[in-house]
Amino acid sequence: MELGPSRIAQSRAHVPGETLTRNTPVPVDRETAAALAEIIFPPDVRPQPPIFDEAIEIAVQSIIEEWNNLSILEENGMQPSRSCLIYGPPGTGKTRLAMWMASQLDIPVILVRIDGLISSFLGTTARNIGNLFAFANKYRCVLLLDEFDAVAKLRDDPQEVGEIKRVVNALLQNLDSRRDVGITIGITNHPKLLDPAVWRRFEVQLEIPRPKFDVRVQIARNFIAPFKVSESHLKLIAWFTEGATGAEIESIVRTYKRSLISKADEPIKLLETLRRFATLNSARLDPSRRELLFSDAAQLFRIMHQDEQLCLSYEEIGSIAGKDKSTISRTVGKKAE
Ligand SMILES: Nc1ncnc2c1ncn2[C@@H]1O[C@H](COP(=O)(O)OP(=O)(O)OP(=O)(O)O)[C@@H](O)[C@H]1O
Ligand SMILES: [Mg+2]
C-alpha cells in the first residue's frame, strides 16, 4: 500500500500564528551567525510518500487527518495530539515521512537539525533552543526537529554535565511551550538515548521498523520506475535485502538501473548487481543469503524455486539467469539426484 494524498487535504490544518514569508528573518547562532533552521515552503517540495506496511500507513493517515481537523476537534472540546516522535533505524524513511506529513498540511516547515543548535560556547545551546522555539511559536508552521538524539550525545562528554542539564531543561520547557500552538515532529535513530522526560513530551510515538518482504518489493518497484522489470526481479531484490532498509534497497536499485542503461534488458545483470552489492556491503545483507549468491547455480536456482516467499518458476529463474527454462530445470534436477 502506498500512502495516498490525504482525503481531506482541502481542509487545511488550522494552526494559529503569523504567516512565514521568504523574507522572514530566521534566528541565527550569535557566535557563528549560522542559521538555526531552514524554512521549507510547501510549493518548493513535493515529497513522495514513503512506503510502509499497512498498519503504519493507516496510523500516519489518521495523524494527518487529526492535524487537518485541529479546529473541529477543539470546537468539540477535544485535544488533538500535536506532537509526534518518529523513531527507527537509519535509512528507513523517517525524514521522508516527516516531510511528507508536513506537506499534507500545506503549511511551511521549520526544519531544525539539532546538531546545528549545539554550540561549543557554554550556555549558547540553551539560548539557541529558546530563540528557535520562540520563532516557531510565533508562526504558522510545522516544527520539524530532525536527528533529535544529537542532544543526548553531549552526555558522552563528562565536561558537559552542567551543559546537558541546561539543554535538556530548555528542551522540556520549550516542548511544553508548543503544546497549544503548533505541530511538532521529532525524529531520532536512537530513542534509548533520549531523556525519558523528553520522550514523554511527544503525544504520538511512531516506530518505523525495517521493511518486511512485501514492503521491500514495493520499495524496489517504486525506485525502479520508469523502468519496468518483471515481478520476479523485484521479489529477488526484496529477498536478498532481508534486514536492509529502504535507503539500501534504493541504492541497489539505482546500481541495477545504471547497469540496464548501458545495455538494455540483459538478464544476468540483476544477479551481477546483487553480487556486487553483497561484496561491497558485506555487513548489510543476511549472511546465509549472501553466501548463496556466490554458491553454485544449482543451489541458488533451487532456493529461488523452493523458497516460500520467492517460489519462482523455472521460466522466471531463466529470465533472471539468462538461460532457458529447460536448462534451469536440468541444472536444478542434476544436483538434487
Ligand atoms: N519506506 C521507504 N519508502 C520509500 N523510500 C524510502 C523508504 N525508506 C527509505 N527510503 C529512501 O531512503 C533514503 C533515506 O530516507 P530518509 O532520509 O527518510 O531516512 P531516515 O530514516 O531519515 O534516515 P536517517 O535516520 O539516517 O536520517 C531516501 O532517499 C528515501 O527516499
Ligand atoms: Mg533522517
Side-chain angles (χ1 to χ4, degrees), residues 91 93-96 146-147 187 189:
K94 300 182 298 299
T95 300
R96 182 164 158 167
D146 206 351
E147 315 201 354
I187 302 180
N189 286 333

Side-chain angles (χ1 to χ4, degrees), residues 50-52 89-96 147 189 219 223 246-247 250:
I51 300 154
F52 299 124
T92 46
K94 300 182 298 299
T95 300
R96 182 164 158 167
E147 315 201 354
N189 286 333
I219 293 176
F223 285 114
E250 180 180 6

Side-chain angles (χ1 to χ4, degrees), residues 163-235:
E163 178 77 343
I164 178 84
K165 270 201 186 134
R166 261 197 301 280
V167 169
V168 169
N169 281 334
L171 265 177
L172 292 176
Q173 280 171 14
N174 283 292
L175 284 170
D176 286 342
S177 77
R178 280 195 69 69
R179 189 160 282 164
D180 301 320
V181 292
I183 291 176
T184 312
I185 303 178
I187 302 180
T188 176
N189 286 333
H190 304 288
K192 292 205 181 84
L193 287 183
L194 280 190
D195 194 283
V198 172
W199 176 257
R200 278 198 306 273
R201 289 304 190 278
F202 289 91
E203 293 152 277
V204 172
Q205 295 154 0
L206 178 62
E207 182 178 14
I208 305 299
R210 291 172 199 278
K212 296 194 196 94
F213 179 76
D214 291 343
V215 178
R216 295 198 301 275
V217 172
Q218 288 183 58
I219 293 176
R221 188 182 298 116
N222 171 77
F223 285 114
I224 206 95
F227 285 84
K228 284 211 175 354
V229 301
S230 72
E231 197 65 15
S232 56
H233 289 216
L234 301 176
K235 277 163 98 180

Side-chain angles (χ1 to χ4, degrees), residues 54-295:
E54 206 169 344
I56 296 179
E57 298 200 338
I58 290 170
V60 167
Q61 209 63 261
S62 74
I63 299 170
I64 294 171
E65 295 201 3
E66 232 184 64
W67 285 350
N68 265 320
N69 287 305
L70 282 182
S71 48
I72 302 174
L73 284 170
E74 281 174 340
E75 278 160 23
N76 288 285
M78 284 178 274
Q79 272 307 309
S81 38
R82 290 168 176 274
S83 54
C84 175
L85 183 70
I86 302 174
Y87 65 99
T92 46
K94 300 182 298 299
T95 300
R96 182 164 158 167
L97 171 64
M99 291 301 295
W100 190 79
M101 287 167 80
S103 78
Q104 293 301 292
L105 307 183
D106 208 24
I107 51 179
V109 177
I110 298 186
L111 172 63
V112 186
R113 295 203 42 253
I114 298 290
D115 260 349
L117 294 182
I118 296 176
S119 166
S120 48
F121 296 92
L122 206 65
T124 303
T125 306
R127 191 172 64 209
N128 282 347
I129 292 174
N131 289 345
L132 186 93
F133 274 79
F135 175 73
N137 291 349
K138 186 170 169 200
Y139 293 99
R140 211 171 108 72
C141 68
V142 172
L143 176 61
L144 177 51
L145 305 163
D146 206 351
E147 315 201 354
F148 209 78
D149 39 275
V151 174
K153 286 189 198 125
L154 280 179
R155 266 195 212 128
D156 298 340
D157 188 341
Q159 301 212 294
E160 301 286 4
V161 183
E163 178 77 343
I164 178 84
K165 270 201 186 134
R166 261 197 301 280
V167 169
V168 169
N169 281 334
L171 265 177
L172 292 176
Q173 280 171 14
N174 283 292
L175 284 170
D176 286 342
S177 77
R178 280 195 69 69
R179 189 160 282 164
D180 301 320
V181 292
I183 291 176
T184 312
I185 303 178
I187 302 180
T188 176
N189 286 333
H190 304 288
K192 292 205 181 84
L193 287 183
L194 280 190
D195 194 283
V198 172
W199 176 257
R200 278 198 306 273
R201 289 304 190 278
F202 289 91
E203 293 152 277
V204 172
Q205 295 154 0
L206 178 62
E207 182 178 14
I208 305 299
R210 291 172 199 278
K212 296 194 196 94
F213 179 76
D214 291 343
V215 178
R216 295 198 301 275
V217 172
Q218 288 183 58
I219 293 176
R221 188 182 298 116
N222 171 77
F223 285 114
I224 206 95
F227 285 84
K228 284 211 175 354
V229 301
S230 72
E231 197 65 15
S232 56
H233 289 216
L234 301 176
K235 277 163 98 180
L236 200 68
I237 293 172
W239 195 80
F240 277 110
T241 50
E242 169 76 41
T245 62
E248 284 154 354
I249 298 164
E250 180 180 6
S251 142
I252 294 186
V253 171
R254 279 192 201 290
T255 313
Y256 182 38
K257 276 163 85 171
R258 275 199 297 273
S259 79
L260 290 178
I261 284 169
S262 60
K263 211 173 167 197
D265 205 18
E266 198 174 307
I268 54 170
K269 286 188 168 157
L270 177 56
L271 283 173
E272 271 173 18
T273 304
L274 287 168
R275 285 192 188 109
R276 183 146 32 112
F277 186 87
T279 307
L280 297 175
N281 300 270
S282 38
R284 292 213 176 105
L285 294 188
D286 176 305
S288 59
R289 295 194 179 179
R290 180 173 174 272
E291 203 175 302
L292 201 60
L293 274 173
F294 300 98
S295 68

